[in-house]
Amino acid sequence: MFGFLKRLFGTKAERNIKRLKPYVKKINTLYATLAKLSHDELRAETDKLRAFLASKTDTITQEITALQTQVADTGELREKLKLNEKISQLEEKQARITERALHEMLPQAFAIVKETARRFKENTTITVKANDFDKKI
């Protein structure tokens, strides 16, 4: 009985592979384009992904910050509760938007990691221009 169902629907592993194949195809396509980039350009791709994610949630983050300021300034308990409820709703919305954005940038991020790993495997040292974060460290 179960053999029939497996043939009809496939195993869990087969269904997972079928679901992930489009991602793998996109990752490999993007990976091929990243080989042409210099080390600094490849590093800049990560910054682009960070900026993309920030741009998706920037307005909601600003709204949440403004509401938190109002909560701190308000003395009335009922008003604080209303504002905190709005903040909770915005945080849930922000989480959904972040999740969608992460799924959208997933192939690019994996391609960058794959190309970076290849470069570290083939080179004992990789030299890049120091950015502000590097200087702080």
Side-chain angles (χ1 to χ4, degrees):
M1 174 79 175
F2 290 113
F4 170 74
L5 291 175
K6 277 187 182 177
R7 279 182 279 166
L8 185 62
F9 296 110
T11 64
K12 173 90 168 115
E14 290 169 344
R15 290 191 305 269
N16 286 342
I17 289 171
K18 186 177 181 181
R19 183 176 54 87
L20 294 174
K21 272 188 179 181
Y23 283 112
V24 173
K25 197 175 206 178
K26 272 185 178 178
I27 290 166
N28 288 334
T29 302
L30 292 167
Y31 171 71
T33 63
L34 294 174
K36 302 174 221 166
L37 300 178
S38 71
H39 298 317
D40 288 323
E41 290 171 331
L42 181 63
R43 192 176 197 194
E45 289 295 312
T46 302
D47 294 333
K48 287 179 188 176
L49 291 179
R50 284 188 188 117
F52 172 77
L53 184 59
S55 72
K56 293 290 187 178
T57 58
D58 203 25
T59 55
I60 292 178
T61 302
Q62 290 172 2
E63 288 179 48
I64 290 171
T65 303
L67 288 172
Q68 288 171 336
T69 303
Q70 286 180 357
V71 167
D73 294 342
T74 300
E76 187 180 329
L77 182 60
R78 287 183 190 200
E79 186 65 25
K80 283 187 178 193
L81 291 174
K82 287 180 186 178
L83 291 171
N84 281 324
E85 181 63 32
K86 285 182 185 179
I87 290 171
S88 293
Q89 291 171 353
L90 285 172
E91 287 173 340
E92 288 174 15
K93 184 178 179 180
Q94 184 181 35
R96 286 191 303 273
I97 290 170
T98 299
E99 186 176 352
R100 273 186 255 132
L102 288 171
H103 279 290
E104 193 175 325
M105 58 192 256
L106 181 92
Q108 181 73 17
F110 269 92
I112 290 169
V113 169
K114 186 176 177 180
E115 176 61 22
T116 303
R118 182 193 64 78
R119 290 182 187 197
F120 275 114
K121 183 187 87 153
E122 293 175 358
N123 301 298
T124 55
T125 60
I126 294 180
T127 306
V128 293
K129 186 176 179 181
N131 61 22
D132 291 336
F133 179 74
D134 296 329
K135 292 173 186 174
K136 286 180 185 177
I137 291 178

